Amino acid sequence: DDADEEVVIPFPNFLEVMGYFEQGGVGLSKDESFRILLALKQLPKEFTKEFTVSSVRFWGKVFGTEANYIIAEAEIEGEEEEEEEEEELTKEGGEEGDSEDKEDEEGEEKDEPPPKSQWKPPLVIPKEEPKTGTNKKTYFVCNKPGDRWNKLPHVKPAEIVAARNIRKAFTGILSSPVISYPPFPGREENYLRAQIARISATTHISPSGYFQQEEDEEEPEEGEGPGPIEVNNDFEINKISEVVL
């Protein structure tokens, strides 16, 4: 009984929301909506040993050439493992090895020192910390309701910039490479996460006053942006007569 209580989380009325979409002529079938609802309820139970899912909702469905993606948006509590540290270390090691080989080749032919290049690599913008900015939410995907959910990695600014400049159809396989020009720095799971961040940022709408900035006693330092936002619990919905022009 205690284990069951741990995975009980606030859950939106998904079938009711899908009914509103159906009235507008869009959305999913009733059968698929019900299967997705059961899959969403199963999601917190699959990751109880890794972290705690405090809330979850259906984000959307993305079509692919070989399989589709069912996407869930969640808020999690607990430490997350850094998945990309090993990849970054291997990349750095590879670059160091290449530079050593070049130095050996240059040592053999030492006639005149070549001119030094004035080019400098662009500044790498670090990704935002979990639970902030574009990584405020955590996203999970599966190909069809009933499959095991896969957690998507956090998004980096470079991935969002690259995703703006390419048009690439999804395959439905998270590990597949993204072959494009300009090149995309990652696999399809990173490309999917970048597009989720772009869509979420450009399709969100809320009444004025529904969100407010969190109250912080400490004054922000110079150069820092506005603090995080939260739902205004004192918000009241305006009457239709006040909203309609």
Side-chain angles (χ1 to χ4, degrees):
D1 295 340
D2 296 338
D4 294 338
E5 292 179 359
E6 291 179 359
V7 296
V8 174
I9 60 174
F11 213 86
N13 194 334
F14 176 65
L15 296 180
E16 182 181 357
V17 173
M18 288 295 102
Y20 294 143
F21 278 102
E22 185 179 1
Q23 294 176 12
V26 296
L28 307 173
S29 65
K30 293 182 178 179
D31 292 341
E32 187 175 12
S33 297
F34 187 73
R35 290 195 294 269
I36 292 175
L37 174 63
L38 297 179
L40 291 174
K41 290 185 175 181
Q42 184 65 26
L43 190 152
K45 300 177 183 179
E46 294 185 7
F47 297 92
T48 51
K49 295 182 180 180
E50 301 177 30
F51 44 75
T52 302
V53 179
S54 57
S55 67
V56 62
R57 74 181 186 97
F58 175 66
W59 184 88
K61 181 178 180 179
V62 174
F63 293 92
T65 56
E66 299 184 25
N68 302 325
Y69 288 123
I70 304 296
I71 305 171
E73 180 186 86
E75 293 184 2
I76 64 176
E77 297 177 359
E79 297 183 358
E80 299 182 47
E81 297 180 358
E82 293 292 336
E83 302 171 355
E84 299 168 352
E85 285 185 356
E86 296 181 0
E87 295 181 5
E88 293 176 357
L89 291 174
T90 53
K91 288 181 182 178
E92 291 176 0
E95 291 175 359
E96 289 176 359
D98 294 341
S99 61
E100 289 177 0
D101 294 339
K102 291 179 181 178
E103 288 178 1
D104 293 339
E105 293 176 1
E106 292 175 357
E108 295 176 359
E109 301 178 0
K110 281 190 176 180
D111 296 335
E112 293 182 359
K116 293 183 178 180
S117 174
Q118 300 297 323
W119 179 84
K120 294 182 179 180
L123 181 66
V124 178
I125 303 174
K127 67 178 179 181
E128 295 179 285
E129 295 295 325
K131 299 182 181 181
T132 59
T134 54
N135 293 322
K136 184 176 180 62
K137 307 288 186 179
T138 304
Y139 294 89
F140 300 84
V141 298
C142 63
N143 293 123
K144 61 179 183 294
D147 290 354
R148 179 168 179 80
W149 290 96
N150 297 294
K151 179 175 157 303
L152 292 178
H154 289 308
V155 68
K156 297 179 180 178
E159 295 169 352
I160 297 177
V161 173
R164 291 196 188 112
N165 298 324
I166 63 175
R167 291 185 178 181
K168 184 72 176 178
F170 293 99
T171 63
I173 304 172
L174 293 175
S175 59
S176 61
V178 180
I179 302 174
S180 63
Y181 184 82
F184 181 81
R187 302 183 298 183
E188 182 162 301
E189 60 179 355
N190 306 102
Y191 179 55
L192 176 62
R193 181 63 183 86
Q195 296 295 14
I196 289 174
R198 294 185 61 212
I199 295 171
S200 297
T202 54
T203 57
H204 182 83
I205 185 171
S206 61
S208 177
Y210 181 75
F211 290 104
Q212 64 180 4
Q213 288 189 358
E214 292 183 0
E215 297 181 359
D216 193 356
E217 297 179 357
E218 299 179 0
E219 296 183 359
E221 298 180 1
E222 294 183 2
E224 286 189 356
I229 60 174
E230 61 182 0
V231 177
N232 183 9
N233 296 324
D234 299 329
F235 173 78
E236 295 182 0
I237 300 176
N238 296 329
K239 297 179 180 179
I240 297 179
S241 58
E242 298 177 356
V243 176
V244 176
L245 298 177

